[in-house]
């Protein structure tokens, strides 16, 4: 039996990890980031989630389960996009460096780099703090090479009760992307938006589950990581626990893909001036 080994900034994947990622579209990696390292990260996570950078973030500080414009006091699933853009002290942090090392083992066809990152916080006892099932590619502009590894670092334990990541293993191999539609918000103040929403009204996309879909939950301990690809169907339910769920997401893509995205004006910022209708699949 092979084991993962973290040594300095390297984290050795097993052959099983590498083949599972290719075949099933995800892998779970224990003990990637130590407690000492997490302390630095969590301090900045809390800084963002408390709204300390809101003055310069506009839509990059939003609620992923409710419409833009929801007052911050009512947020349930807090999303802080691109934290190291707003606080450069976070740039190239230890999670970034170790995730890059893991990416280099998963992707040997070219060179991948960090494309974007986000802090995701589910408040305690918020049933609405759910991420509708989706494929990440459904959110992004079309590019020639779609290869992606999205890392989710558990800053708090991620559990069934607090709404851990859930995936449909192997759905990454479906020949076509599922149809994604903008999800109406139950708290929308615009009644029309509840009937027919466009990507401008709702930044959350959703697919329909099919009868054969078998969901697998991925609970992980603090410091552990899940990695998922751009085609796997995934999401998460609300937080029914008495504690926050805190997750640091970081995605790696081929350097040429990142160049193409930037040329289309797409930086993964919610403030990008992008015509979303062009990107609906
Ligand atoms: O961790 C979650 O709750 C879902 C995050 C997600 O959908 C993603 O990172 O693509």
């Amino acid at each position: 039996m092979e084991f993962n080994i973290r040594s300095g900034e390297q984290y050795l994947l097993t052959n099983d990890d590498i083949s599972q990622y290719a075949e099933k579209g995800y892998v779970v990696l224990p003990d990637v980031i130590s407690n000492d390292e997490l302390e630095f990260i969590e301090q900045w996570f809390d800084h963002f989630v408390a709204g300390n950078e809101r003055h310069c973030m506009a839509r990059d500080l939003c609620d992923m389960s409710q419409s833009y414009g929801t007052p911050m006091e009512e947020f349930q699933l807090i999303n802080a996009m691109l934290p190291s853009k707003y606080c450069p002290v976070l740039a190239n942090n230890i999670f970034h460096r170790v995730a890059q090392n893991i990416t280099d083992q998963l992707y040997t066809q070219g060179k991948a780099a960090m494309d974007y990152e986000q802090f995701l916080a589910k408040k305690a006892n918020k049933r609405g703090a759910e991420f509708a099932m989706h494929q990440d590619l459904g959110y992004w502009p079309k590019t020639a090479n779609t290869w992606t590894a999205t890392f989710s670092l558990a800053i708090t334990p991620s559990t069934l009760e607090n709404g851990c990541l859930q995936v449909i293993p192997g759905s990454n191999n479906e020949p076509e992307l599922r149809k994604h539609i903008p999800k109406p918000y139950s708290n929308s103040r615009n009644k029309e938006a509840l009937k027919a929403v466009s990507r401008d009204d709702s930044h959350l996309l959703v697919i329909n589950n099919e009868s054969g879909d078998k969901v697998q939950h991925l609970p992980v301990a603090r410091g552990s990581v899940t990695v998922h690809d751009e085609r796997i169907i995934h999401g998460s339910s609300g937080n029914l626990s008495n504690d926050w769920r805190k997750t640091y997401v970081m995605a790696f893509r081929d350097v040429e893909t990142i160049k193409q995205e930037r040329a289309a004006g797409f930086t993964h910022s919610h403030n990008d001036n992008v015509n979303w209708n062009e990107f609906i699949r």
Side-chain angles (χ1 to χ4, degrees), residues 15-182:
N15 289 328
D16 285 351
D17 293 332
I18 293 170
S19 51
Q20 178 178 312
Y21 190 73
E23 283 159 25
K24 295 194 177 156
Y26 78 98
V27 67
V28 178
L29 304 174
D31 303 324
V32 175
I33 300 296
S34 72
N35 249 321
D36 285 353
E37 293 162 344
L38 280 166
E39 269 174 32
F40 168 81
I41 291 172
E42 188 167 11
Q43 183 190 318
W44 281 102
F45 186 102
D46 291 344
H47 172 88
F48 274 87
V49 165
N52 288 308
E53 299 297 326
R54 68 197 291 187
H55 53 282
C56 50
M57 294 180 77
R59 287 182 164 192
D60 278 342
L61 186 67
C62 62
D63 185 319
M64 283 307 287
S65 60
Q66 303 184 78
S67 53
Y68 292 126
T70 300
M72 206 183 157
E73 316 76 71
E74 292 174 25
F75 281 12
Q76 305 193 49
L77 173 42
I78 304 171
N79 175 33
M81 286 307 295
L82 309 176
S84 49
K85 169 178 154 185
Y86 295 104
C87 282
V89 65
L90 277 163
N92 203 28
N93 63 58
I94 185 67
F95 176 39
H96 182 171
R97 300 197 300 274
V98 175
Q100 178 73 61
N101 173 259
I102 295 169
T103 299
D104 293 343
Q105 297 168 67
L106 289 173
Y107 188 55
T108 49
Q109 305 91 304
K111 178 68 189 162
M114 202 257 272
D115 185 14
Y116 73 91
E117 31 145 23
Q118 70 196 115
F119 289 152
L120 284 179
K122 290 187 180 186
K123 281 187 186 164
N125 298 303
K126 295 289 181 199
R127 187 175 290 277
E130 61 179 3
F131 238 109
M133 293 302 265
H134 65 280
Q135 294 162 293
D136 289 339
L137 210 47
Y139 275 85
W140 300 335
K142 286 183 185 167
T143 50
N145 179 347
T146 64
W147 192 92
T148 310
T150 300
F151 291 70
S152 299
L153 166 65
I155 296 176
T156 55
S158 193
T159 65
L160 291 184
E161 203 188 2
N162 71 15
C164 66
L165 189 68
Q166 41 184 278
V167 297
I168 301 180
S171 55
N172 54 309
N173 294 319
E174 291 182 3
E176 301 291 337
L177 275 192
R178 302 259 182 114
K179 183 168 171 53
H180 288 71
I181 54 162

